[in-house]
Amino acid sequence: MRDEALHDRIARLARGGARRTERAPRTERAECILPPGREVRTAHGTFYLAERSLQDAIRGEKNAPLRFPKKPWNIAGGKGDLREVERPLFFDLETTGFASCPLFLAGTIDLAEGIVRQRFARDYAEEKAVVAAAAEEIAGAGTLVSFNGKSYDLPFLRSRAARHRLPFGSPPPHVDLLHQCRRAWRGRFPDFRLQTLEKAVGRADRTGDVPSAEIPELYHDFVRRGRDPRMAAVFKHNLEDVLTLVRLFFLLVEGEKKGGESSGLQGGR
Amino acid sequence: MTSKLSEVLEEIRHDRRFAGRIVHVEEIPARAAVYAEPEIPLRNLIRRALASIGIERLYAHQGEAIEAARAGKNVVIVTGTASGKTLCYNIPVLESLAEGAGTALYLFPTKALAQDQLRGLTRLLETDPSFAEAIPAGTYDGDTSRYGRRKLRDRGRIILSNPDMLHAGILPNHPAWSRFFSLLRFVVLDEIHAYRGIFGSNVGNVIRRLRRIARHYGSDPVFLCSSATIANPRELASRLVGGEVVVVDRDGSPRGPKRFVLWNPPFLDPNGVERRSSNVEGKDLLVRLVREGVPTILFARARITAELVYRYAREDLERRARRLAGRIAVYRGGYLPEERREIERRLFSGDLLAVSSTNALELGIDVGSLGASILVGFPGTIASTWQQAGRAGRTEEEALAVLVAYNDPIDQYLIRHPGYFFGRTPEQATIDPENPYVLERHLRCAAHELPLAADDAALFGDLLEPIAEALEDFGKVTRVEDRWFWALTDYPAAEISLRNMSDATFTILEKTDEGEPRTIGNVDAISAPELLYPEAIYLHEGETYFVRDLDFEQRVATVERKEVDYYTQAIVDSTIRLGKVREKGSLRGGETLLAEATVTWMTTGFKKIKFYGLDSIGWGKLALPPQELETVALGIVPGPDAADRLGRFGLRVVEGLAGLRNLLLVVLPLHAMCDPSNLGGVVESSNLGSPALFIYDRFPKGLGLSERGFATLGTVLAAARELAEGCPCAEGCPSCVGQPRPPLLHHDPDLLQGDPIPNKEAALRLLAIFGSAPE
Ligand SMILES: [Zn+2]
């Protein structure tokens, strides 16, 4: 029982002894196991940025090719009306639990620029810079597009910003695809989890993926040891999640163009 | 129409039915009010608010407290019940909050107190609609709705809560409270005497965490504390808040004359062994006062006693003054919150004339103006005695307090020595936030809230770094550069309780012939096997309920209404079993050890007791699962010749050890910096084959208390000897060898004879053998 050994250690401290004399050396950061990227220095500290073009990111995917629908990209508004989505920024966070725990990876796709960005905190101390940069990018976007981001990702980011005493302005209009999918495809799926919907947009290939439930512990291990080869898989997991957002979004836009019918939908029941 | 209390007392004194009961009357003189205004007068807004609740002038201590708070000094207010303590913090808080954008956090030891104080605060705020609008206030605890919580987080300016909620609900989610913390000007800690021992050490660390979070958001609040009379309010307050504290203890409130009566029930037999039931005596006195129209509170030592006295009093009134029978009630823990609120409300409004209560009403819930307080049995500490007696006499009118003694050695000692009783100073309240075991738990929570840095040692002390390193080695935190970050997905505060109780509770369900079972109350998991075993009679509002079943899995006790003429008392068997011996030591005339120990309690049966009587009319056997405490014990084992050496004087070793146990339960808490209730002690010989004394920590795995006793045993034994020798008593008294061991919580003291006060000479001779001084 590790905790009993810890109790014994405290007992020795209580008797005035047992201060640790040497500290286990920390392994160096192993960027080689992360996707290619660079360190970014900001006023709020450093973080690791893996940035590439959207074309590059989807190249070699086994999935159906990404087809951009013609503009305007309209999507259902709150009252059954249509609203045009301009300069969408897709985003998805990887966190270590609920809002009192840190986040460590913020993935975004800016369609106008055609850029995929993954901002990564190599350790807990870098979280602040990740939060600040992600918040800044979101504030500058035309429209924010997320999956369940209204209840999870955005409040999480806001809470972490508050935690770091960072300003967090009011975000741009926010399209939450969870609500959109529910509305468009009510009754067609057993549930509306992202992994379920992803099959419907022809992205079934998740080989080598890390189960979401293991991600928090994996990250804590990564920081503890300074390396964990599985972290690359977490980057991939996050990238695929954001890419799925783009595909879902396009599917919904196509559906609206066809009068609310969603063509291209696979695997529905 | 209330009769004059002094006349009522005179009548009772001369009433033949009460002949011989009153053994002492202590006259506590009246005191005139002393007023003092703060140097800079109160703002008009505050003045108007006070005027509209009938307050035109401030008492000296209120003025003093306001001055100190305005000057940004931490304060502890130590004045009597009903002295207007609440205004000492409400005025400076409201004054400051009305001016700027600040916020205030009020912490109370119980949810009930917070809710009660909100009522008082609201009365003040609602005197002016704009005031109430500008300063949203509310209670934030387990009963607050989701919506209410959110509203308070986003807009609240005064939050009334408790340390447990701050620890597990607020601090871990501090980003959601960033607005509140960044504006935090005041923290009010009410009734801090409740924060003693390990509970207080825990609360002290919660306060350190609070200060750290406040600092993170850029604020540095002032602490305004209040305490009942204890020996060391300044020390307690400054250790709790971690800084200098100004003591305000010149009570300027007026007080009517009070009489404190010691009351002894008469002997039942010519030999002078058995006395009449103290519960019935308490009831007689209660009924008498109620019939005279005197608003009265009766304090019972156990829940069952509060119920019994209530039941007896109601039956009596139904016979003799039917219209009054509905104007008394019983109040205790385990009732549903809405039932408790209802009783508090009826008491405050004067709708109730009397209440039979446990110490649940000892803390400052505003019960309105009461004339008399009856204490059935010595509550165990002088501080509690004055606190309970102080619940009567909230105005300038005269007041009465009566202590009805039980027929046990401690109560009878007090009755024989009134001078001792009234001359004793109240107890100290000791805490030790630096206790490494306690600290380790809070450093986990703190690391989860914000990374730990070496300079946090200014708050948490020098053990911060070694403990953080230990947490790092065990994978709880990870060091990044110079800070330790929480490195697990679990939420440490959820696993750490500030109190020694498990938070688990059993629900009490009443089964009826028709309809769904209904919840009539609840009980903590530790007490359930002692109160709700199968076939027990459970008393609720004086009514008898038969316990059908106690389900440990579902944590449900099923009861049904059944009219019987008896109540029941559990027979609890307790044993201590030594495990691995960690260390051994020696004394001149004996040995010592520090060992792992398992203390077991088990309800093995029960007795049936006829109402009004003290005799058992039947019993039953039970096989309930035992409750175990795995802890650490200090053992003191007299050497083989101790028996001979004491025998020469006609004394026995076990007697000496019993006295020593009681002495150590007084002395060791001062060295281990805990409360006597944090320790247990037994004398027994089954573990080692010869009589030995074991003192153990009443916490799972131990919290280093007995351990500290073991490490400093020479000093501790010398202090014990000094205490016994210096005590002016001849044969032992409650201050030295006779301190009672913690009573069984749920036993009717009427039925316990109590252990005799051990022989003082035996303890002193034993101490001499152990070599703390030459024989
Ligand atoms: Zn004595």
Side-chain angles (χ1 to χ4, degrees), chain A residues 3-4 6-7 9 11 20 23 100 123-124 159 163 165 216-217 220 224, chain B residues 172 175 216-217 437 444 450-451 469 473 475-476 479-480 485 487 489 701:
Chain A
D3 272 19
E4 287 193 3
L6 175 57
H7 191 90
R9 170 94 168 255
R20 190 172 60 177
R23 183 171 303 126
S100 56
D123 57 43
Y124 309 113
S159 167
R163 148 76 182 76
R165 310 202 65 206
E217 211 43 68
H220 287 307
R224 197 173 288 132
Chain B
H216 174 73
Y217 291 104
Y437 298 92
R444 292 184 191 214
L450 288 175
E469 286 168 357
D473 289 349
K476 310 286 183 197
R479 188 181 182 129
V480 176
F485 290 76
T489 41
K701 305 274 164 216

mmCIF file of all heavy atoms in Angstrom, chain A residues 3-4 6-7 9 11 20 23 100 123-124 159 163 165 216-217 220 224, chain B residues 172 175 216-217 437 444 450-451 469 473 475-476 479-480 485 487 489 701:
data_model
loop_
_atom_site.group_PDB
_atom_site.id
_atom_site.type_symbol
_atom_site.label_atom_id
_atom_site.label_comp_id
_atom_site.label_asym_id
_atom_site.label_seq_id
_atom_site.Cartn_x
_atom_site.Cartn_y
_atom_site.Cartn_z
ATOM 1 N N ASP A 3 0.071 4.347 0.085
ATOM 2 C CA ASP A 3 -0.325 5.388 1.021
ATOM 3 C C ASP A 3 0.119 5.093 2.447
ATOM 4 O O ASP A 3 0.349 6.016 3.230
ATOM 5 C CB ASP A 3 -1.837 5.619 0.956
ATOM 6 C CG ASP A 3 -2.173 6.657 -0.110
ATOM 7 O OD1 ASP A 3 -1.312 6.879 -0.990
ATOM 8 O OD2 ASP A 3 -3.270 7.235 -0.065
ATOM 9 N N GLU A 4 0.240 3.814 2.778
ATOM 10 C CA GLU A 4 0.738 3.501 4.118
ATOM 11 C C GLU A 4 2.206 3.834 4.252
ATOM 12 O O GLU A 4 2.654 4.303 5.289
ATOM 13 C CB GLU A 4 0.464 2.038 4.450
ATOM 14 C CG GLU A 4 -1.010 1.871 4.720
ATOM 15 C CD GLU A 4 -1.377 0.566 5.364
ATOM 16 O OE1 GLU A 4 -0.477 -0.232 5.670
ATOM 17 O OE2 GLU A 4 -2.582 0.360 5.539
ATOM 18 N N LEU A 6 3.592 6.201 2.656
ATOM 19 C CA LEU A 6 3.605 7.661 2.775
ATOM 20 C C LEU A 6 3.317 8.076 4.220
ATOM 21 O O LEU A 6 3.966 8.961 4.766
ATOM 22 C CB LEU A 6 2.576 8.268 1.808
ATOM 23 C CG LEU A 6 2.355 9.786 1.868
ATOM 24 C CD1 LEU A 6 3.649 10.546 1.654
ATOM 25 C CD2 LEU A 6 1.329 10.229 0.826
ATOM 26 N N HIS A 7 2.344 7.377 4.833
ATOM 27 C CA HIS A 7 2.017 7.654 6.232
ATOM 28 C C HIS A 7 3.266 7.441 7.107
ATOM 29 O O HIS A 7 3.548 8.244 7.994
ATOM 30 C CB HIS A 7 0.876 6.738 6.668
ATOM 31 C CG HIS A 7 0.271 7.098 7.974
ATOM 32 N ND1 HIS A 7 -0.793 7.973 8.096
ATOM 33 C CD2 HIS A 7 0.575 6.717 9.237
ATOM 34 C CE1 HIS A 7 -1.102 8.113 9.362
ATOM 35 N NE2 HIS A 7 -0.296 7.355 10.085
ATOM 36 N N ARG A 9 6.323 7.701 6.189
ATOM 37 C CA ARG A 9 7.267 8.776 5.897
ATOM 38 C C ARG A 9 6.897 10.026 6.709
ATOM 39 O O ARG A 9 7.761 10.695 7.266
ATOM 40 C CB ARG A 9 7.218 9.056 4.391
ATOM 41 C CG ARG A 9 7.950 10.275 3.946
ATOM 42 C CD ARG A 9 9.378 9.930 3.495
ATOM 43 N NE ARG A 9 9.941 11.077 2.821
ATOM 44 C CZ ARG A 9 10.093 11.159 1.497
ATOM 45 N NH1 ARG A 9 9.761 10.142 0.738
ATOM 46 N NH2 ARG A 9 10.600 12.239 0.958
ATOM 47 N N ALA A 11 5.252 9.968 9.479
ATOM 48 C CA ALA A 11 5.555 9.648 10.873
ATOM 49 C C ALA A 11 7.017 9.929 11.176
ATOM 50 O O ALA A 11 7.357 10.452 12.240
ATOM 51 C CB ALA A 11 5.225 8.181 11.150
ATOM 52 N N ARG A 20 14.364 14.195 2.726
ATOM 53 C CA ARG A 20 14.973 13.546 1.574
ATOM 54 C C ARG A 20 16.304 14.238 1.277
ATOM 55 O O ARG A 20 16.398 15.458 1.350
ATOM 56 C CB ARG A 20 14.045 13.677 0.375
ATOM 57 C CG ARG A 20 14.481 12.828 -0.781
ATOM 58 C CD ARG A 20 13.441 12.853 -1.837
ATOM 59 N NE ARG A 20 13.231 14.238 -2.295
ATOM 60 C CZ ARG A 20 12.393 14.543 -3.277
ATOM 61 N NH1 ARG A 20 11.677 13.608 -3.829
ATOM 62 N NH2 ARG A 20 12.248 15.790 -3.670
ATOM 63 N N ARG A 23 17.312 14.194 -4.784
ATOM 64 C CA ARG A 23 16.103 14.182 -5.589
ATOM 65 C C ARG A 23 16.370 13.378 -6.846
ATOM 66 O O ARG A 23 17.437 13.461 -7.437
ATOM 67 C CB ARG A 23 15.718 15.616 -5.937
ATOM 68 C CG ARG A 23 14.434 15.712 -6.721
ATOM 69 C CD ARG A 23 14.006 17.158 -6.822
ATOM 70 N NE ARG A 23 13.872 17.731 -5.473
ATOM 71 C CZ ARG A 23 14.484 18.830 -5.093
ATOM 72 N NH1 ARG A 23 15.296 19.455 -5.899
ATOM 73 N NH2 ARG A 23 14.295 19.303 -3.889
ATOM 74 N N SER A 100 -11.489 21.956 -12.178
ATOM 75 C CA SER A 100 -10.464 22.280 -11.186
ATOM 76 C C SER A 100 -9.130 21.633 -11.562
ATOM 77 O O SER A 100 -8.151 21.778 -10.856
ATOM 78 C CB SER A 100 -10.908 21.844 -9.796
ATOM 79 O OG SER A 100 -11.226 20.475 -9.800
ATOM 80 N N ASP A 123 4.327 20.850 -19.598
ATOM 81 C CA ASP A 123 4.142 20.559 -18.174
ATOM 82 C C ASP A 123 3.077 21.521 -17.649
ATOM 83 O O ASP A 123 2.600 22.378 -18.386
ATOM 84 C CB ASP A 123 5.460 20.668 -17.386
ATOM 85 C CG ASP A 123 6.084 22.044 -17.540
ATOM 86 O OD1 ASP A 123 5.340 23.049 -17.480
ATOM 87 O OD2 ASP A 123 7.313 22.131 -17.721
ATOM 88 N N TYR A 124 2.732 21.371 -16.369
ATOM 89 C CA TYR A 124 1.630 22.171 -15.814
ATOM 90 C C TYR A 124 1.920 23.665 -15.897
ATOM 91 O O TYR A 124 1.005 24.475 -16.036
ATOM 92 C CB TYR A 124 1.379 21.784 -14.351
ATOM 93 C CG TYR A 124 1.207 20.305 -14.132
ATOM 94 C CD1 TYR A 124 2.150 19.575 -13.409
ATOM 95 C CD2 TYR A 124 0.106 19.631 -14.646
ATOM 96 C CE1 TYR A 124 2.002 18.215 -13.192
ATOM 97 C CE2 TYR A 124 -0.060 18.265 -14.447
ATOM 98 C CZ TYR A 124 0.901 17.559 -13.710
ATOM 99 O OH TYR A 124 0.741 16.224 -13.511
ATOM 100 N N SER A 159 -12.869 29.014 -17.110
ATOM 101 C CA SER A 159 -12.503 28.745 -15.727
ATOM 102 C C SER A 159 -10.975 28.715 -15.557
ATOM 103 O O SER A 159 -10.442 29.244 -14.586
ATOM 104 C CB SER A 159 -13.117 27.412 -15.289
ATOM 105 O OG SER A 159 -12.550 26.998 -14.076
ATOM 106 N N ARG A 163 -8.667 31.026 -13.342
ATOM 107 C CA ARG A 163 -7.682 30.413 -12.446
ATOM 108 C C ARG A 163 -6.311 31.091 -12.596
ATOM 109 O O ARG A 163 -5.591 31.301 -11.643
ATOM 110 C CB ARG A 163 -7.636 28.920 -12.762
ATOM 111 C CG ARG A 163 -6.330 28.186 -12.600
ATOM 112 C CD ARG A 163 -6.023 27.926 -11.150
ATOM 113 N NE ARG A 163 -4.757 27.255 -10.953
ATOM 114 C CZ ARG A 163 -3.570 27.842 -11.048
ATOM 115 N NH1 ARG A 163 -3.491 29.114 -11.381
ATOM 116 N NH2 ARG A 163 -2.467 27.174 -10.804
ATOM 117 N N ARG A 165 -5.920 34.087 -13.761
ATOM 118 C CA ARG A 165 -6.152 35.524 -13.728
ATOM 119 C C ARG A 165 -5.881 36.154 -15.087
ATOM 120 O O ARG A 165 -5.275 37.231 -15.179
ATOM 121 C CB ARG A 165 -5.296 36.180 -12.640
ATOM 122 C CG ARG A 165 -5.436 35.470 -11.289
ATOM 123 C CD ARG A 165 -5.070 36.362 -10.148
ATOM 124 N NE ARG A 165 -6.018 37.477 -10.062
ATOM 125 C CZ ARG A 165 -5.732 38.651 -9.539
ATOM 126 N NH1 ARG A 165 -4.531 38.885 -9.069
ATOM 127 N NH2 ARG A 165 -6.632 39.613 -9.489
ATOM 128 N N PRO A 216 -6.269 11.656 -19.124
ATOM 129 C CA PRO A 216 -5.760 12.439 -17.978
ATOM 130 C C PRO A 216 -4.549 11.788 -17.302
ATOM 131 O O PRO A 216 -3.532 12.449 -17.078
ATOM 132 C CB PRO A 216 -6.958 12.490 -17.028
ATOM 133 C CG PRO A 216 -8.147 12.350 -17.911
ATOM 134 C CD PRO A 216 -7.720 11.424 -19.015
ATOM 135 N N GLU A 217 -4.657 10.500 -17.024
ATOM 136 C CA GLU A 217 -3.566 9.817 -16.324
ATOM 137 C C GLU A 217 -2.308 9.798 -17.193
ATOM 138 O O GLU A 217 -1.194 9.942 -16.698
ATOM 139 C CB GLU A 217 -4.023 8.389 -15.963
ATOM 140 C CG GLU A 217 -3.416 7.841 -14.700
ATOM 141 C CD GLU A 217 -3.373 8.847 -13.548
ATOM 142 O OE1 GLU A 217 -4.422 9.244 -12.993
ATOM 143 O OE2 GLU A 217 -2.233 9.259 -13.220
ATOM 144 N N HIS A 220 -0.614 13.120 -16.853
ATOM 145 C CA HIS A 220 0.105 13.241 -15.572
ATOM 146 C C HIS A 220 1.405 12.437 -15.615
ATOM 147 O O HIS A 220 2.434 12.884 -15.113
ATOM 148 C CB HIS A 220 -0.777 12.760 -14.419
ATOM 149 C CG HIS A 220 -1.896 13.705 -14.076
ATOM 150 N ND1 HIS A 220 -1.686 15.042 -13.814
ATOM 151 C CD2 HIS A 220 -3.231 13.521 -13.950
ATOM 152 C CE1 HIS A 220 -2.839 15.642 -13.543
ATOM 153 N NE2 HIS A 220 -3.805 14.732 -13.619
ATOM 154 N N ARG A 224 5.229 13.720 -15.215
ATOM 155 C CA ARG A 224 6.018 13.123 -14.152
ATOM 156 C C ARG A 224 7.346 12.609 -14.701
ATOM 157 O O ARG A 224 8.397 12.845 -14.129
ATOM 158 C CB ARG A 224 5.212 11.966 -13.544
ATOM 159 C CG ARG A 224 5.665 11.501 -12.201
ATOM 160 C CD ARG A 224 4.682 10.483 -11.633
ATOM 161 N NE ARG A 224 3.431 11.092 -11.211
ATOM 162 C CZ ARG A 224 2.222 10.632 -11.530
ATOM 163 N NH1 ARG A 224 2.069 9.556 -12.267
ATOM 164 N NH2 ARG A 224 1.143 11.253 -11.096
ATOM 165 N N PRO B 172 -11.660 24.188 -3.720
ATOM 166 C CA PRO B 172 -11.220 23.412 -4.894
ATOM 167 C C PRO B 172 -11.749 23.985 -6.212
ATOM 168 O O PRO B 172 -11.195 23.716 -7.256
ATOM 169 C CB PRO B 172 -11.799 22.013 -4.645
ATOM 170 C CG PRO B 172 -12.079 21.956 -3.185
ATOM 171 C CD PRO B 172 -12.428 23.353 -2.784
ATOM 172 N N PRO B 175 -11.621 29.027 -9.176
ATOM 173 C CA PRO B 175 -11.792 29.905 -10.353
ATOM 174 C C PRO B 175 -13.232 30.385 -10.507
ATOM 175 O O PRO B 175 -13.464 31.517 -10.946
ATOM 176 C CB PRO B 175 -11.385 29.017 -11.530
ATOM 177 C CG PRO B 175 -10.474 27.992 -10.942
ATOM 178 C CD PRO B 175 -11.024 27.729 -9.563
ATOM 179 N N HIS B 216 -3.823 34.926 -4.123
ATOM 180 C CA HIS B 216 -3.719 34.671 -5.570
ATOM 181 C C HIS B 216 -4.602 35.633 -6.356
ATOM 182 O O HIS B 216 -4.225 36.101 -7.434
ATOM 183 C CB HIS B 216 -4.107 33.222 -5.843
ATOM 184 C CG HIS B 216 -4.174 32.863 -7.299
ATOM 185 N ND1 HIS B 216 -3.042 32.707 -8.073
ATOM 186 C CD2 HIS B 216 -5.224 32.639 -8.132
ATOM 187 C CE1 HIS B 216 -3.399 32.391 -9.317
ATOM 188 N NE2 HIS B 216 -4.717 32.340 -9.377
ATOM 189 N N TYR B 217 -5.782 35.913 -5.819
ATOM 190 C CA TYR B 217 -6.688 36.816 -6.517
ATOM 191 C C TYR B 217 -6.523 38.262 -6.064
ATOM 192 O O TYR B 217 -7.353 39.114 -6.371
ATOM 193 C CB TYR B 217 -8.142 36.354 -6.351
ATOM 194 C CG TYR B 217 -8.409 35.066 -7.105
ATOM 195 C CD1 TYR B 217 -8.498 33.855 -6.429
ATOM 196 C CD2 TYR B 217 -8.520 35.065 -8.495
ATOM 197 C CE1 TYR B 217 -8.710 32.665 -7.133
ATOM 198 C CE2 TYR B 217 -8.731 33.891 -9.195
ATOM 199 C CZ TYR B 217 -8.827 32.689 -8.515
ATOM 200 O OH TYR B 217 -9.031 31.530 -9.208
ATOM 201 N N TYR B 437 0.621 15.173 10.179
ATOM 202 C CA TYR B 437 -0.378 14.324 9.520
ATOM 203 C C TYR B 437 -1.518 15.173 8.972
ATOM 204 O O TYR B 437 -2.029 14.941 7.886
ATOM 205 C CB TYR B 437 -0.950 13.309 10.513
ATOM 206 C CG TYR B 437 0.087 12.370 11.066
ATOM 207 C CD1 TYR B 437 0.760 12.650 12.246
ATOM 208 C CD2 TYR B 437 0.407 11.192 10.384
ATOM 209 C CE1 TYR B 437 1.720 11.789 12.749
ATOM 210 C CE2 TYR B 437 1.357 10.329 10.881
ATOM 211 C CZ TYR B 437 2.017 10.628 12.068
ATOM 212 O OH TYR B 437 2.965 9.785 12.550
ATOM 213 N N ARG B 444 -1.998 18.380 0.254
ATOM 214 C CA ARG B 444 -2.547 17.759 -0.961
ATOM 215 C C ARG B 444 -3.619 18.665 -1.560
ATOM 216 O O ARG B 444 -3.625 18.931 -2.761
ATOM 217 C CB ARG B 444 -3.223 16.428 -0.636
ATOM 218 C CG ARG B 444 -2.307 15.342 -0.208
ATOM 219 C CD ARG B 444 -3.144 14.080 -0.036
ATOM 220 N NE ARG B 444 -2.374 13.051 0.635
ATOM 221 C CZ ARG B 444 -2.514 11.757 0.380
ATOM 222 N NH1 ARG B 444 -3.392 11.352 -0.502
ATOM 223 N NH2 ARG B 444 -1.779 10.879 1.021
ATOM 224 N N LEU B 450 -3.648 25.268 -6.077
ATOM 225 C CA LEU B 450 -2.623 26.053 -6.764
ATOM 226 C C LEU B 450 -1.302 25.357 -6.475
ATOM 227 O O LEU B 450 -1.142 24.807 -5.398
ATOM 228 C CB LEU B 450 -2.528 27.479 -6.186
ATOM 229 C CG LEU B 450 -3.620 28.496 -6.455
ATOM 230 C CD1 LEU B 450 -3.320 29.771 -5.660
ATOM 231 C CD2 LEU B 450 -3.722 28.826 -7.932
ATOM 232 N N PRO B 451 -0.357 25.381 -7.397
ATOM 233 C CA PRO B 451 0.899 24.683 -7.110
ATOM 234 C C PRO B 451 1.558 25.219 -5.839
ATOM 235 O O PRO B 451 1.428 26.399 -5.515
ATOM 236 C CB PRO B 451 1.761 24.980 -8.342
ATOM 237 C CG PRO B 451 1.095 26.121 -9.034
ATOM 238 C CD PRO B 451 -0.356 26.021 -8.712
ATOM 239 N N GLU B 469 8.045 17.077 -0.765
ATOM 240 C CA GLU B 469 8.966 16.089 -1.340
ATOM 241 C C GLU B 469 8.435 14.678 -1.159
ATOM 242 O O GLU B 469 8.524 13.840 -2.055
ATOM 243 C CB GLU B 469 10.351 16.218 -0.695
ATOM 244 C CG GLU B 469 11.115 17.443 -1.186
ATOM 245 C CD GLU B 469 12.344 17.744 -0.345
ATOM 246 O OE1 GLU B 469 12.578 17.023 0.663
ATOM 247 O OE2 GLU B 469 13.062 18.696 -0.692
ATOM 248 N N ASP B 473 7.570 12.014 -4.017
ATOM 249 C CA ASP B 473 8.118 10.659 -4.106
ATOM 250 C C ASP B 473 7.017 9.616 -4.235
ATOM 251 O O ASP B 473 7.242 8.534 -4.765
ATOM 252 C CB ASP B 473 8.980 10.348 -2.876
ATOM 253 C CG ASP B 473 10.278 11.133 -2.901
ATOM 254 O OD1 ASP B 473 10.578 11.730 -3.950
ATOM 255 O OD2 ASP B 473 10.981 11.165 -1.874
ATOM 256 N N GLY B 475 4.233 10.157 -5.836
ATOM 257 C CA GLY B 475 3.477 10.380 -7.063
ATOM 258 C C GLY B 475 2.219 11.232 -6.913
ATOM 259 O O GLY B 475 1.390 11.262 -7.806
ATOM 260 N N LYS B 476 2.066 11.919 -5.774
ATOM 261 C CA LYS B 476 0.871 12.741 -5.599
ATOM 262 C C LYS B 476 1.035 14.103 -6.277
ATOM 263 O O LYS B 476 0.061 14.679 -6.732
ATOM 264 C CB LYS B 476 0.576 12.978 -4.107
ATOM 265 C CG LYS B 476 0.577 11.724 -3.264
ATOM 266 C CD LYS B 476 -0.645 10.893 -3.496
ATOM 267 C CE LYS B 476 -0.647 9.676 -2.586
ATOM 268 N NZ LYS B 476 -1.585 8.656 -3.065
ATOM 269 N N ARG B 479 7.030 17.916 -9.413
ATOM 270 C CA ARG B 479 7.722 19.188 -9.327
ATOM 271 C C ARG B 479 8.053 19.678 -10.729
ATOM 272 O O ARG B 479 8.634 18.952 -11.531
ATOM 273 C CB ARG B 479 9.010 18.990 -8.522
ATOM 274 C CG ARG B 479 9.709 20.276 -8.207
ATOM 275 C CD ARG B 479 10.978 19.965 -7.430
ATOM 276 N NE ARG B 479 11.631 21.202 -7.071
ATOM 277 C CZ ARG B 479 12.016 21.495 -5.838
ATOM 278 N NH1 ARG B 479 11.816 20.634 -4.869
ATOM 279 N NH2 ARG B 479 12.603 22.628 -5.583
ATOM 280 N N VAL B 480 7.660 20.899 -11.013
ATOM 281 C CA VAL B 480 8.015 21.529 -12.270
ATOM 282 C C VAL B 480 8.710 22.823 -11.912
ATOM 283 O O VAL B 480 8.118 23.669 -11.246
ATOM 284 C CB VAL B 480 6.778 21.819 -13.133
ATOM 285 C CG1 VAL B 480 7.184 22.559 -14.401
ATOM 286 C CG2 VAL B 480 6.043 20.538 -13.473
ATOM 287 N N PHE B 485 3.054 20.574 -8.410
ATOM 288 C CA PHE B 485 1.698 20.574 -8.953
ATOM 289 C C PHE B 485 1.007 19.273 -8.605
ATOM 290 O O PHE B 485 1.628 18.207 -8.627
ATOM 291 C CB PHE B 485 1.729 20.705 -10.486
ATOM 292 C CG PHE B 485 2.160 22.051 -10.986
ATOM 293 C CD1 PHE B 485 3.500 22.429 -10.956
ATOM 294 C CD2 PHE B 485 1.232 22.941 -11.511
ATOM 295 C CE1 PHE B 485 3.900 23.669 -11.437
ATOM 296 C CE2 PHE B 485 1.625 24.180 -11.998
ATOM 297 C CZ PHE B 485 2.965 24.553 -11.957
ATOM 298 N N ALA B 487 -0.758 16.016 -9.239
ATOM 299 C CA ALA B 487 -0.484 15.195 -10.422
ATOM 300 C C ALA B 487 -1.383 13.976 -10.513
ATOM 301 O O ALA B 487 -0.998 12.962 -11.077
ATOM 302 C CB ALA B 487 0.988 14.778 -10.418
ATOM 303 N N THR B 489 -5.652 12.484 -10.955
ATOM 304 C CA THR B 489 -6.978 12.915 -11.391
ATOM 305 C C THR B 489 -7.942 12.996 -10.213
ATOM 306 O O THR B 489 -8.993 13.596 -10.328
ATOM 307 C CB THR B 489 -7.549 11.962 -12.461
ATOM 308 O OG1 THR B 489 -7.244 10.644 -12.075
ATOM 309 C CG2 THR B 489 -6.961 12.253 -13.813
ATOM 310 N N LYS B 701 -5.603 5.347 11.762
ATOM 311 C CA LYS B 701 -4.155 5.381 11.508
ATOM 312 C C LYS B 701 -3.378 6.270 12.485
ATOM 313 O O LYS B 701 -2.158 6.296 12.458
ATOM 314 C CB LYS B 701 -3.834 5.844 10.078
ATOM 315 C CG LYS B 701 -4.503 5.039 9.016
ATOM 316 C CD LYS B 701 -3.668 3.822 8.673
ATOM 317 C CE LYS B 701 -4.491 2.828 7.903
ATOM 318 N NZ LYS B 701 -4.178 1.455 8.235
#
